Amino acid sequence: MTKRKVSVYIATSVDGYVATEDDSLDWLFKIEPEGDAGYEDFMKDVDTMIMGRRTYDWVMEQEDGVNPYEGKMSYVYTTQSRENTEDVIFTSEDPTSLIERLNEQSGGTIWLIGGGVLVHEFLEKNLIDEFIISLAPTLIGKGIPLFQKSDVTHDLELTDVRQYGQFAQLHYLVLNK
């Protein structure tokens, strides 16, 4: 069984929030990063996305209902009943089972897009291999945190730091998996 890498590639405010309490990302788009902040290079190896329903709904709203990840498989965690499409599977499968199943298939990087609750669930089960976190130059004070309180600790290794305009991007490998 080939182990596929599970990556969290995400932007946060400097104070650690991925969205405001009402799911807004307006704060993120106030300042443009330089270039695409490494997104295109990251996406070269990604063939599978995992995201929560609120993240999926936000993406689809921003893209006027057109899946921006067409041709790549997306798994959307939800408790709602929704109809699967060719590229999108709605699921409530245990994260460990999903990753084990995906590891039975050949493929590239699995992008755990978000949100914070899903990142927490995958982190609690030691399913995340790396974090690529872009810090936006803003403090939003409150909102949806990237990391929730946890009794599980993880050691990280900083492998790269890049600057994209006013954004700082930190690349960490998760060590104790």
Side-chain angles (χ1 to χ4, degrees):
M1 175 165 65
T2 306
K3 172 132 177 34
R4 296 170 64 188
K5 181 170 52 178
V6 177
S7 298
V8 175
Y9 178 96
I10 199 161
T12 72
S13 60
V14 170
D15 51 354
Y17 296 104
V18 295
T20 62
E21 290 175 325
D22 63 353
D23 294 334
S24 172
L25 294 179
D26 291 346
W27 56 272
L28 181 59
F29 301 112
K30 285 183 180 176
I31 298 176
E32 288 287 322
E34 193 174 279
D36 69 354
Y39 177 79
E40 189 174 321
D41 283 341
F42 173 74
M43 287 301 288
K44 285 179 184 174
D45 295 326
V46 172
D47 67 358
T48 305
M49 272 71 65
I50 299 174
M51 66 189 95
R53 184 204 40 87
R54 285 167 48 192
T55 300
Y56 173 79
D57 288 347
W58 184 89
V59 167
M60 294 304 285
E61 181 180 314
Q62 298 305 305
E63 299 293 329
D64 294 322
V66 177
N67 183 358
Y69 311 117
E70 194 172 312
K72 298 178 186 257
M73 206 63 219
S74 292
Y75 293 86
V76 179
Y77 273 84
T78 183
T79 55
Q80 299 176 350
S81 178
R82 294 213 182 165
E83 192 170 324
N84 294 338
T85 68
E86 185 178 335
D87 295 329
V88 180
I89 294 176
F90 296 94
T91 186
S92 59
E93 182 177 0
D94 176 73
T96 302
S97 298
L98 176 61
I99 296 302
E100 285 174 354
R101 196 163 49 76
L102 292 175
N103 278 333
E104 291 172 1
Q105 307 164 12
S106 62
T109 299
I110 300 166
W111 179 18
L112 180 58
I113 297 176
V117 171
L118 202 57
V119 168
H120 177 76
E121 289 179 24
F122 275 69
L123 199 52
E124 289 281 298
K125 295 178 184 241
N126 291 316
L127 298 172
I128 298 173
D129 298 299
E130 70 178 353
F131 288 93
I132 302 170
I133 303 170
S134 294
L135 298 176
T138 188
L139 301 168
I140 61 175
K142 58 183 177 179
I144 300 167
L146 173 56
F147 299 109
Q148 298 182 359
K149 291 182 180 179
S150 174
D151 291 327
V152 178
T153 61
H154 293 83
D155 294 323
L156 307 175
E157 177 184 348
L158 181 66
T159 61
D160 196 19
V161 177
R162 295 189 182 185
Q163 182 175 351
Y164 294 98
Q166 291 297 304
F167 286 73
Q169 188 175 82
L170 309 172
H171 188 162
Y172 291 101
L173 295 181
V174 179
L175 296 179
N176 56 335
K177 289 195 54 176

mmCIF file of all heavy atoms in Angstrom, residues 2-47:
data_model
loop_
_atom_site.group_PDB
_atom_site.id
_atom_site.type_symbol
_atom_site.label_atom_id
_atom_site.label_comp_id
_atom_site.label_asym_id
_atom_site.label_seq_id
_atom_site.Cartn_x
_atom_site.Cartn_y
_atom_site.Cartn_z
ATOM 1 N N THR A 2 0.699 2.111 -0.963
ATOM 2 C CA THR A 2 1.464 3.343 -1.075
ATOM 3 C C THR A 2 0.826 4.419 -0.226
ATOM 4 O O THR A 2 -0.368 4.669 -0.315
ATOM 5 C CB THR A 2 1.492 3.825 -2.537
ATOM 6 O OG1 THR A 2 1.975 2.767 -3.349
ATOM 7 C CG2 THR A 2 2.388 5.025 -2.696
ATOM 8 N N LYS A 3 1.628 5.059 0.603
ATOM 9 C CA LYS A 3 1.104 6.124 1.449
ATOM 10 C C LYS A 3 1.106 7.426 0.673
ATOM 11 O O LYS A 3 2.143 7.863 0.192
ATOM 12 C CB LYS A 3 1.967 6.254 2.702
ATOM 13 C CG LYS A 3 1.602 7.462 3.524
ATOM 14 C CD LYS A 3 1.456 7.140 4.953
ATOM 15 C CE LYS A 3 1.157 8.325 5.818
ATOM 16 N NZ LYS A 3 0.353 9.381 5.270
ATOM 17 N N ARG A 4 -0.069 7.997 0.533
ATOM 18 C CA ARG A 4 -0.191 9.290 -0.127
ATOM 19 C C ARG A 4 -0.093 10.389 0.922
ATOM 20 O O ARG A 4 -0.560 10.242 2.042
ATOM 21 C CB ARG A 4 -1.524 9.353 -0.871
ATOM 22 C CG ARG A 4 -1.578 8.321 -2.001
ATOM 23 C CD ARG A 4 -2.946 8.183 -2.584
ATOM 24 N NE ARG A 4 -3.369 9.417 -3.203
ATOM 25 C CZ ARG A 4 -4.598 9.618 -3.666
ATOM 26 N NH1 ARG A 4 -5.510 8.672 -3.582
ATOM 27 N NH2 ARG A 4 -4.925 10.761 -4.222
ATOM 28 N N LYS A 5 0.513 11.500 0.547
ATOM 29 C CA LYS A 5 0.703 12.617 1.464
ATOM 30 C C LYS A 5 -0.611 13.371 1.649
ATOM 31 O O LYS A 5 -1.302 13.681 0.676
ATOM 32 C CB LYS A 5 1.785 13.533 0.904
ATOM 33 C CG LYS A 5 2.105 14.727 1.762
ATOM 34 C CD LYS A 5 3.341 15.464 1.307
ATOM 35 C CE LYS A 5 3.313 15.835 -0.150
ATOM 36 N NZ LYS A 5 4.469 16.596 -0.598
ATOM 37 N N VAL A 6 -0.939 13.676 2.903
ATOM 38 C CA VAL A 6 -2.098 14.503 3.234
ATOM 39 C C VAL A 6 -1.565 15.864 3.662
ATOM 40 O O VAL A 6 -0.838 15.976 4.653
ATOM 41 C CB VAL A 6 -2.963 13.877 4.350
ATOM 42 C CG1 VAL A 6 -4.124 14.805 4.713
ATOM 43 C CG2 VAL A 6 -3.483 12.504 3.927
ATOM 44 N N SER A 7 -1.912 16.902 2.891
ATOM 45 C CA SER A 7 -1.400 18.252 3.115
ATOM 46 C C SER A 7 -2.524 19.215 3.451
ATOM 47 O O SER A 7 -3.577 19.187 2.815
ATOM 48 C CB SER A 7 -0.706 18.780 1.858
ATOM 49 O OG SER A 7 0.389 17.976 1.524
ATOM 50 N N VAL A 8 -2.259 20.069 4.419
ATOM 51 C CA VAL A 8 -3.146 21.200 4.697
ATOM 52 C C VAL A 8 -2.440 22.421 4.117
ATOM 53 O O VAL A 8 -1.359 22.799 4.585
ATOM 54 C CB VAL A 8 -3.394 21.383 6.216
ATOM 55 C CG1 VAL A 8 -4.218 22.635 6.474
ATOM 56 C CG2 VAL A 8 -4.073 20.155 6.800
ATOM 57 N N TYR A 9 -3.013 22.985 3.069
ATOM 58 C CA TYR A 9 -2.496 24.207 2.433
ATOM 59 C C TYR A 9 -3.575 25.243 2.683
ATOM 60 O O TYR A 9 -4.690 25.119 2.156
ATOM 61 C CB TYR A 9 -2.287 23.949 0.941
ATOM 62 C CG TYR A 9 -1.808 25.149 0.142
ATOM 63 C CD1 TYR A 9 -0.455 25.319 -0.128
ATOM 64 C CD2 TYR A 9 -2.695 26.079 -0.358
ATOM 65 C CE1 TYR A 9 -0.012 26.403 -0.878
ATOM 66 C CE2 TYR A 9 -2.260 27.163 -1.101
ATOM 67 C CZ TYR A 9 -0.920 27.321 -1.359
ATOM 68 O OH TYR A 9 -0.491 28.393 -2.098
ATOM 69 N N ILE A 10 -3.273 26.237 3.516
ATOM 70 C CA ILE A 10 -4.340 27.112 3.993
ATOM 71 C C ILE A 10 -3.778 28.484 4.367
ATOM 72 O O ILE A 10 -2.577 28.604 4.638
ATOM 73 C CB ILE A 10 -5.042 26.449 5.208
ATOM 74 C CG1 ILE A 10 -6.419 27.036 5.458
ATOM 75 C CG2 ILE A 10 -4.151 26.465 6.452
ATOM 76 C CD1 ILE A 10 -7.313 26.143 6.322
ATOM 77 N N ALA A 11 -4.623 29.474 4.379
ATOM 78 C CA ALA A 11 -4.244 30.811 4.838
ATOM 79 C C ALA A 11 -4.957 31.098 6.153
ATOM 80 O O ALA A 11 -6.106 30.691 6.353
ATOM 81 C CB ALA A 11 -4.618 31.864 3.801
ATOM 82 N N THR A 12 -4.250 31.780 7.041
ATOM 83 C CA THR A 12 -4.847 32.206 8.303
ATOM 84 C C THR A 12 -4.471 33.660 8.553
ATOM 85 O O THR A 12 -3.504 34.174 7.985
ATOM 86 C CB THR A 12 -4.353 31.386 9.519
ATOM 87 O OG1 THR A 12 -3.003 31.749 9.815
ATOM 88 C CG2 THR A 12 -4.467 29.904 9.297
ATOM 89 N N SER A 13 -5.234 34.276 9.436
ATOM 90 C CA SER A 13 -4.817 35.578 9.951
ATOM 91 C C SER A 13 -3.625 35.321 10.872
ATOM 92 O O SER A 13 -3.388 34.181 11.297
ATOM 93 C CB SER A 13 -5.969 36.223 10.722
ATOM 94 O OG SER A 13 -6.354 35.407 11.819
ATOM 95 N N VAL A 14 -2.871 36.345 11.197
ATOM 96 C CA VAL A 14 -1.723 36.173 12.079
ATOM 97 C C VAL A 14 -2.170 35.617 13.435
ATOM 98 O O VAL A 14 -1.451 34.847 14.064
ATOM 99 C CB VAL A 14 -0.949 37.505 12.241
ATOM 100 C CG1 VAL A 14 0.105 37.414 13.331
ATOM 101 C CG2 VAL A 14 -0.296 37.896 10.920
ATOM 102 N N ASP A 15 -3.399 35.946 13.860
ATOM 103 C CA ASP A 15 -3.894 35.414 15.127
ATOM 104 C C ASP A 15 -4.583 34.053 14.991
ATOM 105 O O ASP A 15 -5.231 33.573 15.912
ATOM 106 C CB ASP A 15 -4.768 36.421 15.875
ATOM 107 C CG ASP A 15 -5.881 37.037 15.062
ATOM 108 O OD1 ASP A 15 -5.972 36.811 13.847
ATOM 109 O OD2 ASP A 15 -6.697 37.776 15.662
ATOM 110 N N GLY A 16 -4.410 33.385 13.837
ATOM 111 C CA GLY A 16 -4.762 31.980 13.719
ATOM 112 C C GLY A 16 -6.162 31.630 13.266
ATOM 113 O O GLY A 16 -6.586 30.489 13.414
ATOM 114 N N TYR A 17 -6.886 32.572 12.654
ATOM 115 C CA TYR A 17 -8.249 32.283 12.209
ATOM 116 C C TYR A 17 -8.295 32.057 10.699
ATOM 117 O O TYR A 17 -7.629 32.748 9.934
ATOM 118 C CB TYR A 17 -9.196 33.426 12.595
ATOM 119 C CG TYR A 17 -9.301 33.581 14.093
ATOM 120 C CD1 TYR A 17 -8.648 34.608 14.746
ATOM 121 C CD2 TYR A 17 -10.035 32.674 14.848
ATOM 122 C CE1 TYR A 17 -8.728 34.739 16.131
ATOM 123 C CE2 TYR A 17 -10.126 32.795 16.221
ATOM 124 C CZ TYR A 17 -9.460 33.829 16.855
ATOM 125 O OH TYR A 17 -9.548 33.937 18.218
ATOM 126 N N VAL A 18 -9.111 31.081 10.280
ATOM 127 C CA VAL A 18 -9.258 30.784 8.860
ATOM 128 C C VAL A 18 -10.464 31.493 8.252
ATOM 129 O O VAL A 18 -10.588 31.579 7.029
ATOM 130 C CB VAL A 18 -9.349 29.263 8.590
ATOM 131 C CG1 VAL A 18 -8.036 28.589 8.973
ATOM 132 C CG2 VAL A 18 -10.515 28.619 9.309
ATOM 133 N N ALA A 19 -11.360 31.991 9.090
ATOM 134 C CA ALA A 19 -12.542 32.729 8.630
ATOM 135 C C ALA A 19 -13.123 33.472 9.823
ATOM 136 O O ALA A 19 -12.813 33.157 10.980
ATOM 137 C CB ALA A 19 -13.596 31.773 8.050
ATOM 138 N N THR A 20 -13.973 34.447 9.527
ATOM 139 C CA THR A 20 -14.691 35.121 10.606
ATOM 140 C C THR A 20 -15.792 34.192 11.108
ATOM 141 O O THR A 20 -16.037 33.127 10.534
ATOM 142 C CB THR A 20 -15.319 36.443 10.122
ATOM 143 O OG1 THR A 20 -16.269 36.140 9.095
ATOM 144 C CG2 THR A 20 -14.263 37.409 9.602
ATOM 145 N N GLU A 21 -16.469 34.591 12.154
ATOM 146 C CA GLU A 21 -17.525 33.752 12.717
ATOM 147 C C GLU A 21 -18.648 33.484 11.719
ATOM 148 O O GLU A 21 -19.336 32.479 11.807
ATOM 149 C CB GLU A 21 -18.079 34.393 13.988
ATOM 150 C CG GLU A 21 -17.075 34.355 15.134
ATOM 151 C CD GLU A 21 -17.532 35.088 16.365
ATOM 152 O OE1 GLU A 21 -18.213 36.137 16.242
ATOM 153 O OE2 GLU A 21 -17.216 34.606 17.481
ATOM 154 N N ASP A 22 -18.847 34.401 10.752
ATOM 155 C CA ASP A 22 -19.901 34.207 9.744
ATOM 156 C C ASP A 22 -19.331 33.668 8.422
ATOM 157 O O ASP A 22 -19.913 33.847 7.355
ATOM 158 C CB ASP A 22 -20.691 35.501 9.516
ATOM 159 C CG ASP A 22 -19.828 36.629 8.968
ATOM 160 O OD1 ASP A 22 -18.588 36.471 8.881
ATOM 161 O OD2 ASP A 22 -20.398 37.674 8.615
ATOM 162 N N ASP A 23 -18.181 32.986 8.494
ATOM 163 C CA ASP A 23 -17.533 32.325 7.348
ATOM 164 C C ASP A 23 -16.966 33.281 6.305
ATOM 165 O O ASP A 23 -16.640 32.869 5.200
ATOM 166 C CB ASP A 23 -18.473 31.335 6.651
ATOM 167 C CG ASP A 23 -18.833 30.137 7.516
ATOM 168 O OD1 ASP A 23 -18.026 29.796 8.402
ATOM 169 O OD2 ASP A 23 -19.906 29.554 7.309
ATOM 170 N N SER A 24 -16.820 34.545 6.626
ATOM 171 C CA SER A 24 -16.293 35.506 5.655
ATOM 172 C C SER A 24 -14.773 35.399 5.554
ATOM 173 O O SER A 24 -14.073 35.199 6.542
ATOM 174 C CB SER A 24 -16.672 36.931 6.060
ATOM 175 O OG SER A 24 -16.005 37.861 5.221
ATOM 176 N N LEU A 25 -14.286 35.575 4.321
ATOM 177 C CA LEU A 25 -12.848 35.635 4.064
ATOM 178 C C LEU A 25 -12.460 36.997 3.494
ATOM 179 O O LEU A 25 -11.378 37.140 2.912
ATOM 180 C CB LEU A 25 -12.432 34.540 3.086
ATOM 181 C CG LEU A 25 -12.574 33.095 3.563
ATOM 182 C CD1 LEU A 25 -12.156 32.118 2.477
ATOM 183 C CD2 LEU A 25 -11.772 32.854 4.822
ATOM 184 N N ASP A 26 -13.321 37.988 3.657
ATOM 185 C CA ASP A 26 -13.041 39.317 3.115
ATOM 186 C C ASP A 26 -11.690 39.845 3.597
ATOM 187 O O ASP A 26 -10.956 40.484 2.830
ATOM 188 C CB ASP A 26 -14.147 40.303 3.496
ATOM 189 C CG ASP A 26 -15.458 40.004 2.789
ATOM 190 O OD1 ASP A 26 -15.455 39.213 1.823
ATOM 191 O OD2 ASP A 26 -16.492 40.557 3.215
ATOM 192 N N TRP A 27 -11.348 39.577 4.847
ATOM 193 C CA TRP A 27 -10.071 40.026 5.415
ATOM 194 C C TRP A 27 -8.885 39.471 4.643
ATOM 195 O O TRP A 27 -7.840 40.099 4.552
ATOM 196 C CB TRP A 27 -9.979 39.604 6.893
ATOM 197 C CG TRP A 27 -10.151 38.122 7.065
ATOM 198 C CD1 TRP A 27 -11.327 37.443 7.231
ATOM 199 C CD2 TRP A 27 -9.133 37.123 7.024
ATOM 200 N NE1 TRP A 27 -11.095 36.086 7.308
ATOM 201 C CE2 TRP A 27 -9.756 35.867 7.183
ATOM 202 C CE3 TRP A 27 -7.746 37.161 6.874
ATOM 203 C CZ2 TRP A 27 -9.052 34.668 7.194
ATOM 204 C CZ3 TRP A 27 -7.042 35.964 6.884
ATOM 205 C CH2 TRP A 27 -7.694 34.726 7.048
ATOM 206 N N LEU A 28 -9.035 38.274 4.064
ATOM 207 C CA LEU A 28 -7.944 37.608 3.358
ATOM 208 C C LEU A 28 -7.634 38.286 2.026
ATOM 209 O O LEU A 28 -6.494 38.291 1.571
ATOM 210 C CB LEU A 28 -8.310 36.137 3.127
ATOM 211 C CG LEU A 28 -7.283 35.265 2.422
ATOM 212 C CD1 LEU A 28 -5.963 35.233 3.176
ATOM 213 C CD2 LEU A 28 -7.831 33.855 2.257
ATOM 214 N N PHE A 29 -8.649 38.868 1.412
ATOM 215 C CA PHE A 29 -8.482 39.424 0.069
ATOM 216 C C PHE A 29 -8.208 40.923 0.061
ATOM 217 O O PHE A 29 -8.137 41.526 -0.990
ATOM 218 C CB PHE A 29 -9.706 39.089 -0.778
ATOM 219 C CG PHE A 29 -9.926 37.599 -0.886
ATOM 220 C CD1 PHE A 29 -11.030 37.006 -0.289
ATOM 221 C CD2 PHE A 29 -9.021 36.780 -1.539
ATOM 222 C CE1 PHE A 29 -11.233 35.633 -0.363
ATOM 223 C CE2 PHE A 29 -9.198 35.414 -1.620
ATOM 224 C CZ PHE A 29 -10.310 34.840 -1.028
ATOM 225 N N LYS A 30 -8.017 41.520 1.242
ATOM 226 C CA LYS A 30 -7.708 42.954 1.308
ATOM 227 C C LYS A 30 -6.327 43.265 0.758
ATOM 228 O O LYS A 30 -6.092 44.316 0.197
ATOM 229 C CB LYS A 30 -7.818 43.463 2.758
ATOM 230 C CG LYS A 30 -9.239 43.612 3.226
ATOM 231 C CD LYS A 30 -9.278 44.181 4.631
ATOM 232 C CE LYS A 30 -10.710 44.339 5.095
ATOM 233 N NZ LYS A 30 -10.775 44.787 6.484
ATOM 234 N N ILE A 31 -5.395 42.320 0.946
ATOM 235 C CA ILE A 31 -4.023 42.504 0.457
ATOM 236 C C ILE A 31 -3.682 41.313 -0.424
ATOM 237 O O ILE A 31 -3.808 40.166 -0.009
ATOM 238 C CB ILE A 31 -3.025 42.603 1.627
ATOM 239 C CG1 ILE A 31 -3.348 43.825 2.478
ATOM 240 C CG2 ILE A 31 -1.597 42.657 1.106
ATOM 241 C CD1 ILE A 31 -2.486 43.945 3.707
ATOM 242 N N GLU A 32 -3.263 41.593 -1.639
ATOM 243 C CA GLU A 32 -2.909 40.535 -2.587
ATOM 244 C C GLU A 32 -1.535 39.978 -2.241
ATOM 245 O O GLU A 32 -0.598 40.732 -1.995
ATOM 246 C CB GLU A 32 -2.863 41.106 -4.013
ATOM 247 C CG GLU A 32 -4.211 41.427 -4.594
ATOM 248 C CD GLU A 32 -4.997 40.191 -4.983
ATOM 249 O OE1 GLU A 32 -4.399 39.218 -5.484
ATOM 250 O OE2 GLU A 32 -6.217 40.208 -4.767
ATOM 251 N N PRO A 33 -1.395 38.650 -2.238
ATOM 252 C CA PRO A 33 -0.046 38.091 -2.105
ATOM 253 C C PRO A 33 0.709 38.342 -3.407
ATOM 254 O O PRO A 33 0.116 38.668 -4.425
ATOM 255 C CB PRO A 33 -0.292 36.601 -1.882
ATOM 256 C CG PRO A 33 -1.612 36.340 -2.537
ATOM 257 C CD PRO A 33 -2.408 37.609 -2.389
ATOM 258 N N GLU A 34 1.995 38.165 -3.356
ATOM 259 C CA GLU A 34 2.801 38.273 -4.564
ATOM 260 C C GLU A 34 2.628 36.974 -5.347
ATOM 261 O O GLU A 34 2.826 35.888 -4.824
ATOM 262 C CB GLU A 34 4.260 38.468 -4.155
ATOM 263 C CG GLU A 34 5.169 38.891 -5.257
ATOM 264 C CD GLU A 34 6.532 39.187 -4.679
ATOM 265 O OE1 GLU A 34 6.694 40.297 -4.141
ATOM 266 O OE2 GLU A 34 7.402 38.298 -4.738
ATOM 267 N N GLY A 35 2.212 37.074 -6.592
ATOM 268 C CA GLY A 35 1.977 35.884 -7.397
ATOM 269 C C GLY A 35 0.813 35.085 -6.848
ATOM 270 O O GLY A 35 -0.156 35.641 -6.338
ATOM 271 N N ASP A 36 0.924 33.765 -6.902
ATOM 272 C CA ASP A 36 -0.167 32.915 -6.422
ATOM 273 C C ASP A 36 0.195 32.218 -5.109
ATOM 274 O O ASP A 36 -0.439 31.242 -4.721
ATOM 275 C CB ASP A 36 -0.558 31.889 -7.491
ATOM 276 C CG ASP A 36 0.511 30.834 -7.735
ATOM 277 O OD1 ASP A 36 1.626 30.933 -7.158
ATOM 278 O OD2 ASP A 36 0.246 29.895 -8.502
ATOM 279 N N ALA A 37 1.233 32.710 -4.422
ATOM 280 C CA ALA A 37 1.676 32.169 -3.129
ATOM 281 C C ALA A 37 2.001 30.677 -3.213
ATOM 282 O O ALA A 37 1.779 29.923 -2.272
ATOM 283 C CB ALA A 37 0.648 32.450 -2.043
ATOM 284 N N GLY A 38 2.499 30.237 -4.358
ATOM 285 C CA GLY A 38 2.897 28.847 -4.514
ATOM 286 C C GLY A 38 1.768 27.882 -4.812
ATOM 287 O O GLY A 38 1.966 26.668 -4.876
ATOM 288 N N TYR A 39 0.560 28.407 -5.027
ATOM 289 C CA TYR A 39 -0.622 27.557 -5.244
ATOM 290 C C TYR A 39 -0.464 26.650 -6.465
ATOM 291 O O TYR A 39 -0.735 25.450 -6.386
ATOM 292 C CB TYR A 39 -1.863 28.441 -5.389
ATOM 293 C CG TYR A 39 -3.130 27.688 -5.692
ATOM 294 C CD1 TYR A 39 -3.824 27.038 -4.685
ATOM 295 C CD2 TYR A 39 -3.643 27.628 -6.988
ATOM 296 C CE1 TYR A 39 -4.995 26.343 -4.949
ATOM 297 C CE2 TYR A 39 -4.807 26.933 -7.269
ATOM 298 C CZ TYR A 39 -5.480 26.295 -6.245
ATOM 299 O OH TYR A 39 -6.629 25.607 -6.520
ATOM 300 N N GLU A 40 -0.030 27.210 -7.586
ATOM 301 C CA GLU A 40 0.083 26.412 -8.812
ATOM 302 C C GLU A 40 1.074 25.258 -8.639
ATOM 303 O O GLU A 40 0.800 24.123 -9.038
ATOM 304 C CB GLU A 40 0.499 27.295 -9.989
ATOM 305 C CG GLU A 40 0.428 26.582 -11.321
ATOM 306 C CD GLU A 40 0.711 27.515 -12.489
ATOM 307 O OE1 GLU A 40 0.275 28.678 -12.474
ATOM 308 O OE2 GLU A 40 1.386 27.044 -13.426
ATOM 309 N N ASP A 41 2.222 25.534 -8.011
ATOM 310 C CA ASP A 41 3.198 24.474 -7.757
ATOM 311 C C ASP A 41 2.624 23.412 -6.831
ATOM 312 O O ASP A 41 2.808 22.222 -7.042
ATOM 313 C CB ASP A 41 4.489 25.041 -7.145
ATOM 314 C CG ASP A 41 5.367 25.711 -8.187
ATOM 315 O OD1 ASP A 41 5.186 25.449 -9.393
ATOM 316 O OD2 ASP A 41 6.230 26.510 -7.784
ATOM 317 N N PHE A 42 1.921 23.840 -5.778
ATOM 318 C CA PHE A 42 1.308 22.895 -4.845
ATOM 319 C C PHE A 42 0.305 21.999 -5.564
ATOM 320 O O PHE A 42 0.286 20.787 -5.376
ATOM 321 C CB PHE A 42 0.616 23.654 -3.698
ATOM 322 C CG PHE A 42 -0.178 22.769 -2.786
ATOM 323 C CD1 PHE A 42 0.457 21.935 -1.873
ATOM 324 C CD2 PHE A 42 -1.565 22.758 -2.840
ATOM 325 C CE1 PHE A 42 -0.278 21.103 -1.037
ATOM 326 C CE2 PHE A 42 -2.304 21.930 -2.017
ATOM 327 C CZ PHE A 42 -1.656 21.098 -1.100
ATOM 328 N N MET A 43 -0.508 22.595 -6.428
ATOM 329 C CA MET A 43 -1.590 21.851 -7.087
ATOM 330 C C MET A 43 -1.089 20.854 -8.131
ATOM 331 O O MET A 43 -1.828 19.952 -8.517
ATOM 332 C CB MET A 43 -2.587 22.815 -7.723
ATOM 333 C CG MET A 43 -3.471 23.538 -6.708
ATOM 334 S SD MET A 43 -4.453 22.428 -5.688
ATOM 335 C CE MET A 43 -5.677 21.852 -6.865
ATOM 336 N N LYS A 44 0.162 20.961 -8.575
ATOM 337 C CA LYS A 44 0.697 20.029 -9.578
ATOM 338 C C LYS A 44 0.613 18.579 -9.108
ATOM 339 O O LYS A 44 0.397 17.686 -9.914
ATOM 340 C CB LYS A 44 2.156 20.379 -9.909
ATOM 341 C CG LYS A 44 2.302 21.597 -10.784
ATOM 342 C CD LYS A 44 3.766 21.894 -11.040
ATOM 343 C CE LYS A 44 3.907 23.180 -11.831
ATOM 344 N NZ LYS A 44 5.316 23.583 -11.976
ATOM 345 N N ASP A 45 0.797 18.342 -7.816
ATOM 346 C CA ASP A 45 0.805 16.978 -7.282
ATOM 347 C C ASP A 45 -0.535 16.570 -6.672
ATOM 348 O O ASP A 45 -0.704 15.416 -6.289
ATOM 349 C CB ASP A 45 1.896 16.830 -6.216
ATOM 350 C CG ASP A 45 3.286 16.990 -6.802
ATOM 351 O OD1 ASP A 45 3.502 16.589 -7.957
ATOM 352 O OD2 ASP A 45 4.163 17.528 -6.096
ATOM 353 N N VAL A 46 -1.465 17.513 -6.536
ATOM 354 C CA VAL A 46 -2.746 17.230 -5.884
ATOM 355 C C VAL A 46 -3.722 16.624 -6.886
ATOM 356 O O VAL A 46 -3.923 17.162 -7.971
ATOM 357 C CB VAL A 46 -3.349 18.521 -5.280
ATOM 358 C CG1 VAL A 46 -4.765 18.280 -4.770
ATOM 359 C CG2 VAL A 46 -2.464 19.057 -4.167
ATOM 360 N N ASP A 47 -4.313 15.492 -6.505
ATOM 361 C CA ASP A 47 -5.372 14.929 -7.347
ATOM 362 C C ASP A 47 -6.647 14.634 -6.561
ATOM 363 O O ASP A 47 -7.645 14.217 -7.123
ATOM 364 C CB ASP A 47 -4.900 13.678 -8.087
ATOM 365 C CG ASP A 47 -4.618 12.499 -7.167
ATOM 366 O OD1 ASP A 47 -4.741 12.639 -5.934
ATOM 367 O OD2 ASP A 47 -4.272 11.427 -7.688
#
